[in-house]
Amino acid sequence: MVHVVRSFVRPTSAIVEAIAQFAPSTLHEAQGRRGDLDSRIKPVAPGMKFCGPALTASCHIGDNLMIFEAINLARPGDILVLSAGNNPDQGGFGEVLANTCLARGVAAFVTDAGVRDGAALRALGFPVFSLGLCMRGTTKETIGTINQPVVIGGQLIRPGDIVAGDDDGVVVVRAEDAGEVAKASQKREEYEAKIIEACRQGRNPDVSERQAVMKAKGCAWSS
Amino acid sequence: MVHVVRSFVRPTSAIVEAIAQFAPSTLHEAQGRRGDLDSRIKPVAPGMKFCGPALTASCHIGDNLMIFEAINLARPGDILVLSAGNNPDQGGFGEVLANTCLARGVAAFVTDAGVRDGAALRALGFPVFSLGLCMRGTTKETIGTINQPVVIGGQLIRPGDIVAGDDDGVVVVRAEDAGEVAKASQKREEYEAKIIEACRQGRNPDVSERQAVMKAKGCAWSS
Amino acid sequence: MVHVVRSFVRPTSAIVEAIAQFAPSTLHEAQGRRGDLDSRIKPVAPGMKFCGPALTASCHIGDNLMIFEAINLARPGDILVLSAGNNPDQGGFGEVLANTCLARGVAAFVTDAGVRDGAALRALGFPVFSLGLCMRGTTKETIGTINQPVVIGGQLIRPGDIVAGDDDGVVVVRAEDAGEVAKASQKREEYEAKIIEACRQGRNPDVSERQAVMKAKGCAWSS
Amino acid sequence: MVHVVRSFVRPTSAIVEAIAQFAPSTLHEAQGRRGDLDSRIKPVAPGMKFCGPALTASCHIGDNLMIFEAINLARPGDILVLSAGNNPDQGGFGEVLANTCLARGVAAFVTDAGVRDGAALRALGFPVFSLGLCMRGTTKETIGTINQPVVIGGQLIRPGDIVAGDDDGVVVVRAEDAGEVAKASQKREEYEAKIIEACRQGRNPDVSERQAVMKAKGCAWSS
Amino acid sequence: MVHVVRSFVRPTSAIVEAIAQFAPSTLHEAQGRRGDLDSRIKPVAPGMKFCGPALTASCHIGDNLMIFEAINLARPGDILVLSAGNNPDQGGFGEVLANTCLARGVAAFVTDAGVRDGAALRALGFPVFSLGLCMRGTTKETIGTINQPVVIGGQLIRPGDIVAGDDDGVVVVRAEDAGEVAKASQKREEYEAKIIEACRQGRNPDVSERQAVMKAKGCAWSS
Amino acid sequence: MVHVVRSFVRPTSAIVEAIAQFAPSTLHEAQGRRGDLDSRIKPVAPGMKFCGPALTASCHIGDNLMIFEAINLARPGDILVLSAGNNPDQGGFGEVLANTCLARGVAAFVTDAGVRDGAALRALGFPVFSLGLCMRGTTKETIGTINQPVVIGGQLIRPGDIVAGDDDGVVVVRAEDAGEVAKASQKREEYEAKIIEACRQGRNPDVSERQAVMKAKGCAWSS
């Protein structure tokens, strides 16, 4: 069995940039309400965001052995996505690894474990998405995988899938769906911009549409 | 059965302003430690606060059909209070609806569900109190209620009750109790201001009072 | 039985300052991954931090009677550590008590309960570490202890032990171990600084070390 | 303000018996998916069940002062419903109070707190529905209410409302809706019995109905 | 896009029987500590167990539309595995569907949602593994998938993978690994039987092995 | 530093038997509402119970290396109390270790981690108290301690302290307090027996006592 796959096919930067235009919540809606990771996976500071191809890794719960080699295999712009057992009570990533990521051009780190050195991460401005801050360390003893499909936050992520995150959490877009998702996102955003503009002018086309649904379902208004 | 009640009796603005002078924790204490909603209902950004009459709505868990019509019935200064099944894992309110609220003069939004577009809500400065950020969307399929009493965060809230929120969470003050609660809050605040001033000058009248209770209960000090 | 012990042996300020140089996560690692309190005990605002000798107290769950006398017995620089039943749903500490602490020179407050007046605490800049903000008050009816060993966040803390906290949470260092822990922390920090510097220059000595472990455990790379 | 209301209007035993024929899940569905209490409120042993009019009480969190007088005011067949702050970490009801209930004919006890003496309760066979077993005691210091509306498990319960519970949890049926709910429940049960019978004979009318919905929504089958 | 795949390749009954010999915890260990679903997914009554090929389905959170057609496509011995959004607060499976499963020969039902009619399920003896009992119903409005790979309880399950469950929870064994896992499980069980026999005779070979590790790691014994 | 202490002073069997007469909830009350472990630590099957001197051990989170030697040092009647990081998501104790315990006369096992082989443990009837069933295994790599004080479930337990458990959970009684606690428990039980007897005869002395407190606190009854 191979544990570490050295490389994977990355989406073109044009595709990544097309997806990066949109907020994760828009991408999630545009692809049919799919792809959202467990909402407990959040940025360590408000305002952090990212978009890029996933470099995937998995570690045994409470261990971070594979993370060093994963960073070593990264290319600029990659998002390091580490599945580590859905465990907020240990932090296997902190200031040193964040600096290592920055030196290699890794654009963000996403995990279903805790992380530490929260104040330092905030000062660095490196986007880290996790189950929260926890100083308790991990071991470096057990083999996991690199660049194989992983399950994290209730989603399957394959190397090269596009992941995007902001204050709302993280969403995955399949590489092969990215073009279509970008288009649908664009359409959704244009629609929403119109609604917002209409609201500012005192109209709201959404309301009459919802009232129609309400009436159709038997809703009764007081006189 | 009537689902949507179009209007309700709002407290006078004098009453709302009287309550708005005080922090929710003060109001909670002043009315006999009552009225606090589940403390998991918190602002999406520190520092958000509000006070006003509740326009109440309820949606089926995972649905937000009623919210559009609820905003439509709002008057400036209303607080939209939406009971939605105690469900942090779906977000049926975000940037578009926040803009709709702002256009109608809704002063804040309170729910026992998730919300999304956290970064946009922060930028708008519109006070949103919820179970947290979650990008996962809702359906718009099921009838609920508008302007009928709702249970949210362990409290009953009726249309026209006054709700107030800040970093500590949300409290409800019954419209009919508001005058009395404002007075009791004023008294409490004056007392606390005196204690703080005394502390700064090196005295603390509270300590001797507590020591008396401790002695009465049989507390023993080391020599 | 004695409930309140008036005084305890504090570590020298030289020892406290030696420990205060290091982040809690570093101290935790340097003493063999021990001493970290439950990571749910966090600062009420990012960036708060502290280091000092623990003045310990315990209250019955839902009660804060002992806290007033505990502050009364404090000396400047003390950290008030209150064990209160692992209960996020009541807040027995807020603006008044924070001012009382400041007047007495208490350097921080740590508890396994909720606290309230979050906005005021943030404005004061007084470091408060807790299970979160909750406006619901406590009673003042039941005797607890002061300056006796307490269990909080899964750790035993004795009066005079050194406690330190930042965004990552709180760690306890036994007074008698502090000298050794400071030395080990220094060593660890120097090592980490070298790794970070090496990373910035495009090298990472850690990687080859981890690869050696991976190979020894049977890890297989793709060709 | 009155805290204790001595009596309340109970539904007729005919109405209670009509409701008692049906499982709580059936009642919940039959009244439009309403009335279910937080599903964490469960029997202390599988198989416990009850149905009867609610005698309501509320206690301060961590206190059980009012429970004694509540039992004192009970009539045979009443269900004692105690709102106590959504707190699984204290148990203010156990063997002694269960015996007191049995002596007064109270038919079941429902609370949003912990309870204790689990082995004894099981042996007595007295239906107790709670947030779980917890030996930690409560105080008896603070006034609450008896026979006033209470909020518990996310539902408003008024004295005389009918509550029913089994392994699935607890549901409330408004006294004034009970006749209609019983009819709707009967209809639902007959329909379900038919479906089950059809399944046993190898047919399932539900499937074709669902397939029609699936097709209408655009569902695609593999060839 | 195809939503419903009508059929899938099932493992031979010889393979299923080979796996069915072993407890899930043994299978989990034997395949290198992999494949265990989130331990919150448990049987509705102690003692329930199952082993068989997974017929996979996914529903939108709070919806159960797809479940009817999924049962319709089942063959005797199939395990219906339904991914439904990690949501304990709604129950879309109960007595009627359990009877439907039994009529079709479905051997067990596994989901990451709540279920209802707990007492009836226990009486039927049909193995149901879920996040717990909850009477709150679901809608039947949204298309999901059938017989496509699903993520549930942190694991990817493909149609035809073997799933096994008992009191400890559920484990998935890849169809293609099943032969090897059965052999490794057999070996593990024989080893454990020997240890248990040795213990009964007053010896324990494990202890000296662990003592050797302890000594190698620097463990010190008191004299 | 010594990690493993070979022996400790056990309380006399007369003392253990005196404590074993009483339910944990009674012991907890009798010693002033102290000593109860986190109520999430529960028996793997209803009805399990134990009482005996604590043989204490601690393991690194996710590791069970020390447990083998701990059992090796046990004497008949000892209760093995293992602090393992408050981690329900890994199970480092199961059928083999339960048999090892039985062979050595260990009377029960208590931990703040998961355990596995639930069906086998139930069949053996060996009392195991834990955070629940979880099949996910642990490593055997890290040194912990044996027969040194441990913190578990929010309580400090020293070797030789008496621990008792039943359906309600676990309580610790300090060895030096045991005589006094047994007496107070006896008194409490006699009082409770009298109340229960009085209830059966239609009287309840408790009620008038509580009514007196209610009146003193200002409680108002409806006429």
Side-chain angles (χ1 to χ4, degrees), chain A residues 23-26 28-29 33 35-39 42 46-47 164 166-171 188 192-193 195-196 199-200 202 204 206-207 210-211 213-214 217-223, chain B residues 1-7 65-66 68-69 71-73 88-89 95-97 99-100 103-104 115-119 122 124 132-144 146:
Chain A
S25 63
T26 301
H28 160 72
E29 284 285 344
R33 295 200 172 153
D36 56 307
L37 275 66
D38 180 342
S39 66
K42 285 278 163 63
D166 72 359
D167 287 26
D168 289 3
V170 179
V171 71
R188 188 176 165 86
E192 294 199 335
I195 297 287
I196 291 176
C199 288
R200 285 187 183 141
N204 184 351
D206 267 357
V207 170
R210 302 313 168 208
Q211 287 172 336
V213 176
M214 289 162 73
K217 302 247 174 189
C219 186
W221 275 255
S222 66
S223 59
Chain B
M1 183 202 169
V2 164
H3 302 92
V4 179
V5 176
R6 289 185 203 275
S7 64
L65 177 63
M66 305 304 283
F68 303 85
E69 175 71 348
I71 297 172
N72 190 42
L73 296 172
D89 292 330
E95 189 181 6
V96 173
L97 285 169
N99 274 287
T100 314
R104 294 288 304 189
V115 297
R116 60 186 180 183
D117 303 332
R122 235 177 32 235
L124 283 172
L133 295 174
C134 180
M135 78 178 70
R136 193 190 286 177
T138 53
T139 54
K140 299 179 203 318
E141 305 264 8
T142 311
I143 297 178
I146 296 180

Side-chain angles (χ1 to χ4, degrees), chain E residues 25 33 42 167-168 211 222, chain F residues 4 69 117-118 122 133 138:
Chain E
S25 62
R33 295 195 171 157
K42 285 280 164 62
D167 288 27
D168 290 3
Q211 287 173 337
S222 66
Chain F
V4 180
E69 176 71 349
D117 302 333
R122 235 176 34 234
L133 295 176
T138 53

Side-chain angles (χ1 to χ4, degrees), chain C residues 28-211:
Chain C
H28 159 72
E29 284 285 343
Q31 64 183 346
R33 296 200 171 153
R34 288 183 296 115
D36 56 306
L37 275 66
D38 181 342
S39 66
R40 296 179 306 136
I41 300 179
K42 285 280 164 63
V44 298
M48 286 178 167
K49 57 185 181 175
F50 69 84
C51 182
L55 184 162
T56 62
S58 71
C59 284
H60 187 79
I61 181 171
D63 196 277
N64 74 349
L65 177 63
M66 305 304 283
I67 205 170
F68 303 86
E69 176 70 348
I71 297 172
N72 191 43
L73 295 172
R75 292 199 195 152
D78 281 357
I79 311 302
L80 176 43
V81 175
L82 176 71
S83 171
N86 192 25
N87 170 27
D89 292 331
Q90 287 177 277
F93 184 97
E95 188 180 7
V96 173
L97 285 168
N99 274 287
T100 314
C101 282
L102 284 169
R104 293 289 303 190
V106 173
F109 176 69
V110 178
T111 192
D112 62 346
V115 297
R116 60 185 179 186
D117 303 332
L121 296 177
R122 234 176 35 234
L124 283 171
F126 179 68
V128 173
F129 285 61
S130 71
L131 294 180
L133 295 175
C134 180
M135 80 178 67
R136 192 190 286 176
T138 53
T139 54
K140 299 177 203 317
E141 304 264 10
T142 310
I143 297 178
T145 66
I146 297 179
N147 287 327
Q148 305 204 16
V150 296
V151 170
I152 175 172
Q155 297 291 340
L156 179 74
I157 302 186
R158 305 162 312 174
D161 281 341
I162 302 173
V163 282
D166 72 2
D167 286 26
D168 289 3
V170 180
V171 70
V172 58
V173 177
R174 300 279 166 239
E176 62 270 30
D177 300 341
E180 200 180 331
V181 172
K183 270 183 221 158
S185 297
Q186 183 62 34
K187 223 164 134 180
R188 188 176 165 86
E189 237 180 48
E190 284 164 11
Y191 172 76
E192 294 199 336
K194 264 187 224 163
I195 296 287
I196 291 176
E197 186 50 35
C199 287
R200 285 185 183 144
Q201 295 175 9
R203 291 173 295 110
N204 183 351
D206 266 357
V207 170
S208 51
E209 196 184 321
R210 301 312 167 208
Q211 287 172 337

